[in-house]
């Protein structure tokens, strides 16, 4: 089969490799589409993992083979694939910190080499632990593979929305109107809150309004904080979701979030970044700083429901489609997006 093998920093090699062999408790899925995620891009661009590996984890496809011990699945079924499933019994899992679980982190779907998602290949193997514990999600007949590939990123965003306790009637600032920021806007609106968005690109500011933001501003606007306070009766927003790794965005969030509000870090900052802050600002204004990483097993069914019942319009997020052989070009476009670049999908 064909696969894009990570051979080193910024080195992707389009290669012929063996189709994974399925063990008795495993399932082989033919990849129909896989989303290109910012985390994939970081893994390709920076020395975070030892090569060789095959990345890609926002996967939807068709079951091509099943192990002899697998029950409840059939060849030909259409499925969305979750690349991580927690153990459900460690200290992290018992506290709903599923993404901290060692099993969650270390057992993954694979197309070969060190298990790393494996979606950037013709076929991906799903380990028995993931098969047995809900990592395969049947796709309804009326839902495309493209839509189904959004179940995993929707889960990640939904986890952040739930963690920030966003509630009907609240106002939420979303910094960055790329594909993740736009999904946040859709989810914020779905849960009955109002979204205000910021971005640097006029096209993305317009797109934010099109998908449901109450207001959207240029992040460089010198009057940004005043405008946000004017829209919130002088209070500031209830929650800020940081969807870009920007120090400036964080300080805008600090100025724009009301007393007793929350700021959630969703985008991962470079390791060398340190943000100086007077702790008395958090103490006196009772601002909660929160982090949200990856998905939540607890929200898997709700994420599938939101996508499969089209409660948000994930198709509106898709801007580009690339064949697997052109993954490097897709990565380059994501790094230097055009004004109309949003979600990029990859096709084996």
């Amino acid at each position: 089969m064909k696969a894009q093998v990570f051979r080193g920093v910024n080195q992707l090699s389009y290669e012929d490799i063996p189709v994974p062999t399925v063990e008795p408790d495993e399932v082989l899925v033919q990849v129909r589409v896989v989303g290109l995620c910012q985390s994939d891009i970081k893994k390709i661009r920076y020395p975070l993992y030892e090569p060789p590996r095959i990345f890609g984890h926002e996967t939807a496809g068709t079951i091509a083979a099943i192990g002899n011990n697998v029950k409840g699945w059939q060849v030909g079924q259409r499925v969305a694939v979750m690349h991580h499933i927690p153990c459900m019994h460690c200290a992290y899992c018992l506290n709903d910190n599923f993404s901290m679980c060692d099993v969650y982190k270390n057992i993954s779907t694979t197309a070969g080499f060190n298990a790393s998602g494996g979606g950037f290949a013709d076929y991906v193997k799903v380990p028995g632990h993931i098969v047995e514990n809900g990592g395969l999600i049947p796709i309804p007949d009326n839902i495309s593979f493209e839509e189904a590939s959004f179940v995993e990123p929707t889960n990640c965003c939904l986890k952040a929305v739930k963690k920030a306790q966003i509630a009907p009637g609240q106002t939420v600032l979303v910094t960055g109107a790329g594909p993740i920021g736009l999904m946040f806007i859709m989810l914020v609106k779905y849960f009955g809150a109002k979204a205000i968005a910021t971005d640097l690109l006029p096209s993305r500011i317009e797109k934010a309004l099109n998908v449901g933001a109450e207001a959207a501003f240029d992040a460089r606007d010198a009057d940004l904080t005043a405008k946000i306070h004017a829209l919130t009766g002088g209070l500031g927003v209830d929650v800020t979701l940081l969807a870009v790794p920007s120090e400036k965005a964080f300080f805008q969030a600090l100025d724009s979030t009301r007393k007793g509000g929350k700021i959630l870090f969703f985008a991962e900052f470079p390791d060398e970044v340190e943000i100086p802050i007077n702790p008395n600002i958090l103490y006196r204004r009772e601002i909660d700083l929160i982090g949200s990483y990856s998905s939540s097993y607890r929200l898997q069914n709700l994420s599938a429901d939101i996508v499969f019942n089209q409660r948000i319009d994930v198709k509106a997020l898709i801007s580009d489609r690339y064949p697997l052989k052109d993954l490097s070009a897709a990565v380059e476009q994501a790094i230097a997006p055009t004004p109309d670049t949003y979600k990029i999908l990859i096709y084996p």
Side-chain angles (χ1 to χ4, degrees):
M1 69 174 184
K2 291 291 188 180
Q4 285 282 3
V5 182
F6 170 71
R7 292 291 181 183
V9 174
N10 285 326
Q11 297 178 46
L12 288 172
S13 176
Y14 188 52
E15 300 180 13
D16 286 302
I17 65 169
V19 175
T21 302
V22 176
E23 298 298 326
D25 62 346
E26 296 179 333
V27 166
L28 186 70
V29 173
Q30 183 179 5
V31 179
R32 299 295 190 181
V33 65
V34 58
L36 178 59
C37 175
Q38 282 296 322
S39 65
D40 296 320
I41 295 168
K42 284 183 288 188
K43 293 168 188 174
I44 292 166
R45 293 187 69 205
Y46 300 105
L48 303 175
Y49 293 93
E50 287 294 322
R53 293 173 184 264
I54 300 171
F55 299 123
H57 59 271
E58 298 176 359
T59 304
T62 306
I63 293 179
I66 59 175
N68 293 332
N69 297 340
V70 173
K71 307 297 182 184
W73 297 101
Q74 297 178 348
V75 171
Q77 273 187 279
R78 304 163 69 244
V79 292
V81 181
M82 300 298 288
H83 66 306
H84 291 304
I85 294 291
C87 74
M88 300 305 294
H89 57 73
C90 70
Y92 294 117
C93 287
L94 293 177
N95 284 284
D96 277 18
N97 303 131
F98 303 115
S99 58
M100 300 295 109
C101 166
D102 285 341
V103 170
Y104 180 97
K105 288 177 176 291
N106 296 319
I107 295 179
S108 179
T109 52
T110 183
F113 309 110
N114 292 311
S116 301
F120 296 143
D122 288 337
Y123 293 90
V124 63
K125 183 171 70 169
V126 185
H129 169 72
I130 295 177
V131 173
E132 294 164 10
N133 294 286
L136 293 177
I137 304 172
I139 302 172
D141 291 342
N142 65 316
I143 296 298
S144 67
F145 287 116
E146 288 191 343
E147 291 169 286
S149 72
F150 281 89
V151 171
E152 195 274 343
T154 297
N155 188 317
C156 295
C157 292
L158 183 59
K159 175 183 173 180
V161 168
K162 291 292 188 179
K163 203 167 185 181
Q165 299 177 309
I166 292 171
Q170 290 188 329
T171 303
V172 178
L173 174 61
V174 178
T175 67
I180 289 298
L182 295 174
M183 183 175 284
F184 273 138
I185 293 166
M186 292 178 176
L187 288 171
V188 164
K189 184 177 180 181
Y190 174 68
F191 285 104
K194 299 177 181 178
I196 299 171
T198 62
D199 203 274
L200 300 175
L201 296 176
S203 58
R204 290 190 169 186
I205 293 169
E206 182 179 353
K207 184 77 167 180
L209 295 170
N210 290 340
V211 303
E214 293 286 319
F217 302 110
D218 190 315
R220 296 161 294 198
D221 189 334
D223 297 323
L224 176 63
T225 302
K227 290 178 179 178
I228 290 172
H229 280 264
L231 288 171
T232 55
L235 284 175
V237 298
D238 300 287
V239 176
T240 295
L241 301 174
L242 287 169
V244 289
S246 162
E247 295 174 65
K248 183 176 181 180
F250 169 72
F251 286 111
Q252 288 174 337
L254 205 58
D255 291 338
S256 301
T257 303
R258 68 167 172 82
K259 297 175 183 177
K262 300 178 179 71
I263 299 173
L264 183 140
F265 289 80
F266 188 85
E268 184 177 10
F269 282 65
D271 284 341
E272 63 271 16
V273 171
E274 294 183 0
I275 299 177
I277 183 171
N278 184 336
N280 284 326
I281 295 174
L282 308 182
Y283 167 70
R284 292 166 183 161
R285 292 175 55 200
E286 293 191 358
I287 299 290
D288 292 338
L289 298 184
I290 309 167
S292 185
Y293 159 74
S294 194
S295 61
S296 169
Y297 182 80
R298 191 79 67 199
L299 298 171
Q300 191 162 297
N301 289 338
L302 180 56
S303 302
D305 172 81
I306 287 172
V307 174
F308 293 161
N309 287 296
Q310 300 174 324
R311 304 188 193 283
I312 63 174
D313 183 12
V314 295
K315 290 184 290 186
L317 302 176
I318 302 168
S319 63
D320 297 273
R321 299 167 174 87
Y322 280 83
L324 181 62
K325 66 180 180 66
D326 294 335
L327 178 60
S328 293
V331 171
E332 289 304 315
Q333 181 173 340
I335 294 169
T338 69
D340 297 315
T341 300
Y342 299 102
K343 188 64 176 183
I344 299 173
L345 300 182
I346 307 299
Y347 287 80

